[in-house]
Amino acid sequence: MGLLKIDNVSHEFGGLRALDRVSLAIEKGEIFGLIGPNGAGKTTLFNLISGIYKPTEGQVFFKGRPIHNLAPHKISRLGVGRTFQNIRLFKKLSVVDNVKVGMHGVIIPEAADSKALGWGNKRKIEQRADELLNLVGLYEKRMEYAESLAYGEQRRLEIARALARNPCLLLLDEPAAGMNNREKEELMQLVGDIRDMGITILLVEHDMNVVMNVCDRIAVLDYGKKIAEGDPVSIRNDARVIQSYLGVGA
Ligand SMILES: Nc1ncnc2c1ncn2[C@@H]1O[C@H](COP(=O)(O)OP(=O)(O)OP(=O)(O)O)[C@@H](O)[C@H]1O
């Protein structure tokens, strides 16, 4: 069984069917892309996986366990981390404090006694925060205000904060939005590094260069329905995907 299984899930807002019987299975260690036109239902699916919405029908399983009726904090504790389309940092906190906030109440595996850490275990929290800032290339800026970072750096800080909860599945909602080409290159490298740490990634992204380069498999949504699923080459050549989303010449 996959790490994440979405089984015939639908979601309605009033009369609007934002998701219509979508099924997906994401395997451990994959980088899985979710693409589709604006309003296709991608963020709604993220919100269902992370417990912000409950499905109108269908089920979501994580590590074989049903999670579609759990509260967001419980799903997060089970190992599902996420970032948001609109950056949600604490602007007036330092870079390192933004990561530490993400760590509150988290079990750090290397901790000798493996107890959940509150604010008490300062040294281990600081070590872990520094490791994560090194990973995302922000260690040198650890004492700066989050708001002083460039846009691409803020997005990387959001990823570090999500990683602070030790997820085994990370949901990234449009991580390349607003990034310049250099920042996108760095992001692609980072996504690969995160996977190499053993973390499975589900990525919503409009930048096709990023999607096609980093994803092992891709699913395409259109008007709430899954219209295609496969590797990047098959998705790029899928007539229905070209017609509804990629356009000719993509
Ligand atoms: N809270 C809400 N209340 C009512 N309708 C909503 C709500 N959130 C999303 N929708 C509608 O559900 C549909 C799917 O929206 P969703 O945000 O999931 O699409 P998306 O694929 O993430 O789009 P984008 O690429 O623009 O982020 C859209 O028609 C949207 O207008």
Side-chain angles (χ1 to χ4, degrees):
M1 168 172 242
L3 180 69
L4 179 75
K5 186 162 182 261
I6 294 163
D7 186 18
N8 249 321
V9 158
S10 299
H11 190 71
E12 286 176 16
F13 295 106
L16 179 91
R17 206 162 169 82
L19 285 173
D20 191 3
R21 298 193 173 195
V22 172
S23 293
L24 280 180
I26 295 163
E27 304 297 330
K28 190 169 184 311
E30 273 193 306
I31 302 178
F32 194 101
L34 194 58
I35 64 172
N38 292 328
K42 305 178 296 293
T43 299
T44 303
L45 188 57
F46 264 26
N47 285 334
L48 284 172
I49 298 167
S50 50
I52 294 170
Y53 299 151
K54 304 293 165 214
T56 315
E57 62 175 331
Q59 297 173 293
V60 182
F61 297 90
F62 180 62
K63 295 181 181 168
R65 171 183 175 170
I67 58 167
H68 46 274
N69 285 323
L70 297 182
H73 70 278
K74 294 214 166 124
I75 295 174
S76 159
R77 230 180 267 153
L78 288 175
V80 179
R82 74 171 288 181
T83 64
F84 292 86
Q85 211 168 320
N86 49 337
I87 293 176
R88 296 185 179 187
L89 293 170
F90 296 101
K91 293 180 177 159
K92 297 285 179 198
L93 285 186
S94 69
V95 166
V96 69
D97 282 346
N98 266 277
V99 179
K100 286 189 200 165
V101 167
M103 242 174 257
H104 187 53
V106 170
I107 293 167
I108 296 185
E110 311 82 68
D113 52 7
S114 257
K115 280 188 188 136
L117 298 174
W119 292 112
N121 207 331
K122 218 172 151 223
R123 195 179 59 81
K124 287 202 179 86
I125 288 175
E126 259 155 30
Q127 248 174 18
R128 179 76 178 134
D130 287 352
E131 271 169 32
L132 290 169
L133 289 175
N134 261 317
L135 175 78
V136 301
L138 290 174
Y139 181 78
E140 304 300 325
K141 301 201 170 184
R142 60 200 297 285
M143 298 317 289
E144 293 182 20
Y145 281 126
E147 67 179 359
S148 74
L149 297 182
Y151 193 77
E153 293 173 332
Q154 292 194 17
R155 287 219 169 266
R156 292 209 306 274
L157 178 53
E158 275 222 308
I159 293 174
R161 190 176 58 182
L163 290 173
R165 306 199 72 76
N166 292 325
C168 37
L169 173 67
L170 181 62
L171 314 178
L172 299 175
D173 199 350
E174 295 197 30
M179 284 189 172
N180 62 35
N181 285 340
R182 189 183 48 79
E183 290 171 331
K184 284 178 193 170
E185 288 294 329
E186 289 168 357
L187 174 74
M188 287 191 267
Q189 176 70 46
L190 175 61
V191 169
D193 291 346
I194 293 170
R195 186 255 294 275
D196 292 345
M197 291 161 54
I199 297 170
T200 306
I201 294 171
L202 177 57
L203 175 84
V204 164
E205 185 50 64
H206 281 290
D207 187 301
M208 281 309 108
N209 185 40
V210 171
V211 171
M212 296 294 170
N213 273 305
V214 302
C215 294
D216 303 305
R217 286 196 301 141
I218 297 167
V220 188
L221 294 181
D222 191 25
Y223 290 109
K225 287 189 197 292
K226 185 173 82 174
I227 60 165
E229 183 178 345
D231 62 39
V233 175
S234 67
I235 292 297
R236 202 195 283 276
N237 294 315
D238 186 296
R240 199 162 163 203
V241 178
I242 292 171
Q243 188 195 8
S244 69
Y245 184 50
L246 295 179
V248 276

